[in-house]
Amino acid sequence: MIADAVGVDGVFPMLPPKFEPLVGEQNLGDGAPPTELGKAVMDWYGMAHGCHPSATPASVVRAIEAISATKHNVNAVRRARWRRNHAGQFSVAQLDVLVPMVRPATVQPRMAASAQRIMRGYGESLIHEVGANLRIHARSADHLRHITDAQKKVRQPGAYISPAEKEFADSLALEGIREELRGYVYDLHVSDDEHGHLVETDDGWTRVTVAQSFMGQLMLTNADISTLHWENADGTHTVRPHTPESISAAHSALLFEEAPFDVWPSTQTRAGVEAWVAGASPEALANIRMMTARMDIGIAIRPYRGNTDHDVVYADMARFHVKGQNPTLWGKADDEAFKARTVVNDLVRHNFITPEERDIFFGDVVVPWADDSQRVPYRNRVVATTKVMTSTVVDDPTTPGRYPTVRQTLKRLRVSNSPLQAATTTASLAGLVAGLDGDGEMGQFTAAISRSFRKAELRDIKQQSGNWTRLIDLDTSRIADGARKELLNSISASNTRELGEHQRALAILALIAHAANPALRNYRVVFDTNENGEPRTRRLPSSLTISGRGGRGGVTAVEADVICFNAVRSPHGIDQLEAIIEAATTATPIVPRDPETNEEMLEEWLRHRWHKAPDGNGKPADRTAVPESYAGGTSQLELDLHEGVDQPDTSRPENLEPLSNSKEWGEAMVALVDGIDHLAQRVSVLSQIRANAQLADVDEDDFDPEDENIPLMIDKVGIDLEVENGSDKSLDMLRDFLKRGVVAYLKQQARQ
């Protein structure tokens, strides 16, 4: 679960509704006076239609009284207002409504194509036309019921298959229906003597049907009682309005006395409600959350010249579902940036970062690329960009409350509070600080940064040698010199796998510098000459990415941090990483060049050299020959390290099993998880593939591959049992392995 359950007391109506006609009021046409809400509805109707309140049809009054969840709706009706769209105006009030009493839409254009094919089997049409005064014409009560059935066949409300469906259903059970439903008091008309007003959704069909479906599963009964009053003694149905008797019967049915738990508190006292909440099961609490919702209910329409009531209703829906009628939805980057700003503001509030740092993180203050040791808070833009990630992702024991604050903020935002989510969230701000706002390379940059920083090699200081975050604001040459000394020591100790704090700081700064360097992101390559002999170029982005831009140029698709960590295990690589940082910390960043060969260190160049770790002497894979001797017998290795060192024996002892080193084991586990991630991404793609017209049983002329109602291949064709059975053993083995490892890890942490 990505969200905490919302408490029910004080948030949702906790008592069943009561139908209480006013004493001393004149009876309506059905022989009983209105309730307090009904009287307010009459005043509203009179103002909206320009008539006396007594002219309000009794069925309009009863339709709203039937679905009302609270007495507070009286005040809501008195605050009713006119809303407009391009086709006209409509009078609406926002009420708390009983979801089982709200009828799913008869007017539902998003399911038109698929539902209409089902309706052909009944020999009936799928009604869309809304006539004057919100009247909908149908053949019979059964016709309207068939429409409901057809829509449920198209989009099964009880489905709990795809991640999106699961998250949506879980959100209803944990939080209730969050967004307002929208609908009208429609006049469902079959004949002169068979019609009645009923509250239906026009926008909110999915929320209503899914909530009703899950309530039905929890209570082991039908939770859609919106047309209960249509049922005849012989089992047939007749369209008719609500009456005081039918409302009382519906409110009695809302008790759901056959449910396996108490649906409502048994008494109306404060103590009774508190006792019910304290003893309610998770099912009962989920049910009470889904029982009510807020709904914008319209009762009157004023079309503009040349438009109809129908146009106003459809324009109301179009505001939320049609391109050009509604604001552009947030993209993933916008969403992550919003979360990141919330995270950073929380860190400021808890004094983990300063307001001056926040202004830089938000892009309000721009840090120059050029290095300046006197500039505060950050000496250059590479350091500032790195600091965004260290402040929000790195679990640093010197500031013990910072990372838990980030995780808690993410949880409050109703998203996964995992290290990957933390890295993904703030990578968007890192891109902003790096100057990539609106740049086409933003996605490449944030993917590489977030994927790298979610790893323990970067974020978990407790598992590392030293604390690299304290070094990133030092002069690059000092960091590089420290890295050379640490490499020398690790070679002497025959343990080049373990990185020192200077090595780690140098590698991470170089990763950020290369990925953000505008000279690399805008790199151009000559591909031809024009008629004047002048070179023609095309853009060829060459900054570090998550895995080499899909393997362009035949490079090995290892992740960016692996490239840099491999390089920092070699004296040649340390020189190169230092040059990469220096190239990005000048007033105008330039393409970095290898200090030894003067070659441009593009992404492909780096990947060809550092996709594999160097040997135990720090020699890269393409330099396996014995180093050439210099004057005095000094080797190239010794010169690069600026110190002398005896060549150690780095051969692995015969009795040492592969991966028995804890570092190697950890890297193997990261590789395993990455493999699972790649498989999950592939599964995610496969799970969204839709059937063709033939498999979907759709006419070729009607087939729309973008139609969300077209069945998915996995649901239509499925997976062969032999394929599924063949994977059982592998999945069980993987599951057991992971569980066993987690248990061992927790035991180890407990011992510490």
Side-chain angles (χ1 to χ4, degrees):
M1 296 292 185
I2 64 171
D4 290 328
V6 173
V8 295
D9 195 9
V11 180
F12 300 92
M14 296 293 293
L15 299 174
K18 281 188 176 182
F19 182 72
E20 299 176 329
L22 291 173
V23 177
E25 286 291 326
Q26 185 176 356
N27 290 346
L28 301 183
D30 54 19
T35 64
E36 184 181 7
L37 173 64
K39 191 172 186 305
V41 169
M42 294 171 67
D43 293 337
W44 173 26
Y45 188 93
M47 287 187 293
H49 288 84
C51 63
H52 192 272
S54 62
T56 307
S59 58
V60 171
V61 177
R62 302 307 186 194
I64 296 180
E65 288 176 334
I67 57 98
S68 176
T70 68
K71 293 182 178 180
H72 301 299
N73 285 338
V74 174
N75 292 326
V77 167
R78 290 170 180 162
R79 293 193 300 268
R81 61 190 178 88
W82 286 94
R83 183 181 292 151
R84 65 180 173 83
N85 54 44
H86 74 269
Q89 303 178 59
F90 47 105
S91 185
V92 297
Q94 187 177 105
L95 310 183
D96 288 321
V97 299
L98 297 157
V99 174
M101 295 296 295
V102 176
R103 188 170 187 272
T106 298
V107 182
Q108 181 49 260
R110 286 189 292 165
M111 299 180 180
S114 300
Q116 183 60 70
R117 286 189 290 272
I118 298 173
M119 292 302 295
R120 290 174 191 161
Y122 296 111
E124 298 168 343
S125 63
L126 186 68
I127 299 172
H128 287 258
E129 187 69 24
V130 179
N133 297 317
L134 296 173
R135 173 166 287 190
I136 297 174
H137 287 273
R139 289 189 181 184
S140 64
D142 285 334
H143 183 190
L144 293 166
R145 299 286 293 240
H146 292 159
I147 292 172
T148 301
D149 293 341
Q151 291 177 154
K152 289 181 178 179
K153 288 178 182 177
V154 172
R155 184 173 294 173
Q156 297 181 5
Y160 197 72
I161 301 173
S162 71
E165 289 173 332
K166 290 180 179 180
E167 289 179 6
F168 178 67
D170 288 345
S171 74
L172 293 182
L174 293 169
E175 303 172 86
I177 296 177
R178 295 173 295 187
E179 300 301 321
E180 291 80 8
L181 306 171
R182 300 168 70 84
Y184 295 88
V185 181
Y186 289 109
D187 181 11
L188 301 181
H189 194 275
V190 176
S191 65
D192 289 341
D193 60 351
E194 190 178 332
H195 69 95
H197 287 90
L198 197 65
V199 176
E200 284 196 0
T201 62
D202 63 14
D203 181 73
W205 182 92
T206 303
R207 282 166 282 169
V208 169
T209 53
V210 172
Q212 289 178 351
S213 173
F214 277 77
M215 281 190 286
Q217 293 181 51
L218 291 173
M219 297 185 295
L220 306 178
T221 186
N222 176 28
D224 177 5
I225 58 175
S226 60
T227 55
L228 179 67
H229 60 298
W230 289 2
E231 297 180 2
N232 300 316
D234 60 359
T236 60
H237 300 94
T238 305
V239 173
R240 51 179 174 262
H242 267 297
T243 64
E245 293 76 20
S246 73
I247 295 174
S248 296
H251 288 180
S252 177
L254 280 167
L255 298 176
F256 296 107
E257 295 176 345
E258 301 300 320
F261 49 81
D262 290 331
V263 175
W264 304 91
S266 57
T267 63
Q268 298 187 19
T269 63
R270 178 76 261 171
V273 171
E274 291 177 349
W276 183 90
V277 172
S281 65
E283 292 82 4
L285 294 174
N287 194 74
I288 205 74
R289 293 186 193 99
M290 292 185 286
M291 187 66 72
T292 60
R294 288 188 175 92
M295 183 174 182
D296 289 343
I297 299 176
I299 63 166
I301 287 181
R302 294 176 181 171
Y304 296 145
R305 181 178 298 179
N307 293 283
T308 66
D309 287 15
H310 173 88
D311 297 331
V312 179
V313 171
Y314 269 75
D316 185 31
M317 280 184 280
R319 293 176 60 201
F320 295 89
H321 299 289
V322 177
K323 184 178 180 180
Q325 299 294 322
N326 59 315
T328 303
L329 295 177
W330 283 3
K332 180 175 176 55
D334 300 317
D335 182 32
E336 297 300 344
F338 168 78
K339 298 170 189 170
R341 295 179 75 88
T342 305
V343 168
V344 169
N345 279 323
D346 274 11
L347 291 177
V348 173
R349 189 157 51 90
H350 289 89
N351 299 316
F352 289 116
I353 63 175
T354 66
E356 292 76 19
E357 291 173 317
R358 175 189 57 195
D359 292 343
I360 291 173
F361 290 3
F362 287 172
D364 298 332
V365 175
V366 177
V367 178
W369 291 102
D371 184 63
D372 180 358
S373 61
Q374 302 303 310
R375 188 186 297 122
V376 291
Y378 307 120
R379 61 187 297 151
N380 57 56
R381 191 179 296 190
V382 171
V383 171
T385 304
T386 308
K387 193 66 176 181
V388 175
M389 302 304 293
T390 60
S391 298
T392 54
V393 180
V394 174
D395 190 2
D396 190 340
T398 62
T399 52
R402 186 178 66 192
Y403 187 58
T405 297
V406 173
R407 298 285 291 269
Q408 188 60 39
T409 302
L410 292 173
K411 186 175 179 63
R412 196 177 78 240
L413 290 169
R414 296 294 189 263
V415 295
S416 169
N417 65 344
S418 65
L420 178 57
Q421 180 63 60
T424 302
T425 294
T426 48
S428 60
L429 289 185
L432 185 64
V433 173
L436 280 79
D437 188 26
D439 193 291
E441 293 292 293
M442 176 65 106
Q444 295 275 14
F445 176 84
T446 56
I449 300 305
S450 61
R451 190 61 175 257
S452 297
F453 269 84
R454 63 98 173 176
K455 297 181 179 180
E457 290 93 325
L458 276 76
R459 64 175 182 79
D460 195 348
I461 300 297
K462 296 188 295 295
Q463 298 185 28
Q464 300 168 6
S465 174
N467 188 334
W468 64 271
T469 62
R470 68 181 183 86
L471 305 174
I472 61 175
D473 208 35
L474 296 178
D475 183 79
T476 303
S477 61
R478 287 186 59 187
I479 300 175
D481 286 341
R484 293 185 181 97
K485 293 178 181 178
E486 289 169 352
L487 176 60
L488 173 66
N489 293 335
S490 65
I491 290 175
S492 300
S494 302
N495 185 20
T496 56
R497 305 292 299 179
E498 183 66 33
L499 295 179
E501 58 183 354
H502 290 82
Q503 287 177 284
R504 204 175 296 273
L506 185 71
I508 295 168
L509 285 169
L511 166 62
I512 299 289
H514 201 286
N517 189 329
L520 289 166
R521 291 188 285 107
N522 300 313
Y523 185 80
R524 305 189 71 85
V525 63
V526 177
F527 69 93
D528 199 0
T529 57
N530 60 23
E531 56 186 13
N532 298 324
E534 298 172 342
R536 296 174 61 191
T537 64
R538 63 181 175 85
R539 188 167 178 265
L540 187 72
S542 297
S543 55
L544 270 176
T545 58
I546 187 171
S547 57
R549 303 176 197 275
R552 187 180 73 191
V555 299
T556 303
V558 297
E559 294 181 15
D561 58 283
V562 176
I563 298 294
C564 294
F565 283 146
N566 284 344
V568 84
R569 292 185 173 96
S570 164
H572 308 290
I574 290 175
D575 292 344
Q576 292 165 5
L577 297 179
E578 182 180 11
I580 287 170
I581 299 171
E582 290 176 346
T585 52
T586 61
T588 302
I590 60 175
V591 175
R593 292 182 176 272
D594 181 10
E596 182 179 355
T597 65
N598 202 39
E599 297 173 275
E600 292 181 328
M601 290 189 287
L602 309 180
E603 178 179 37
E604 293 84 351
W605 189 93
L606 286 174
R607 288 183 176 279
H608 279 301
R609 283 155 181 77
W610 301 114
H611 66 274
K612 291 182 179 179
D615 65 14
N617 291 322
K619 290 180 290 186
D622 62 347
R623 300 193 182 197
T624 54
V626 177
E628 296 181 4
S629 296
Y630 286 74
T634 306
S635 69
Q636 176 68 47
L637 172 67
E638 293 167 344
L639 287 174
D640 285 344
L641 288 172
H642 307 303
E643 293 189 28
V645 61
D646 295 332
Q647 300 299 316
D649 180 10
T650 59
S651 60
R652 181 185 293 274
E654 293 184 0
N655 62 348
L656 183 61
E657 293 295 329
L659 301 180
S660 60
N661 177 277
S662 61
K663 186 66 175 175
E664 294 176 348
W665 173 266
E667 291 177 347
M669 291 307 98
V670 170
L672 172 63
V673 173
D674 289 344
I676 297 173
D677 284 347
H678 290 310
L679 179 61
Q681 292 170 8
R682 179 61 178 160
V683 168
S684 177
V685 172
L686 290 173
S687 67
Q688 300 303 316
I689 294 176
R690 299 194 178 276
N692 58 28
Q694 183 179 3
L695 288 172
D697 192 25
V698 179
D699 294 339
E700 290 287 352
D701 293 340
D702 296 335
F703 182 70
D704 178 7
E706 300 299 324
D707 185 356
E708 294 183 357
N709 301 314
I710 298 297
L712 300 171
M713 283 295 290
I714 190 169
D715 298 323
K716 191 70 177 179
V717 178
I719 298 174
D720 188 279
L721 287 175
E722 291 186 4
V723 174
E724 196 273 339
N725 292 336
S727 65
D728 278 353
K729 183 176 181 181
S730 299
L731 290 174
D732 288 342
M733 185 182 301
L734 176 62
R735 189 179 298 109
D736 292 343
F737 176 79
L738 293 174
K739 286 183 177 179
R740 181 178 175 186
V742 169
V743 170
Y745 174 79
L746 293 175
K747 289 181 178 178
Q748 179 194 38
Q749 295 299 305
R751 287 194 294 270
Q752 294 177 352

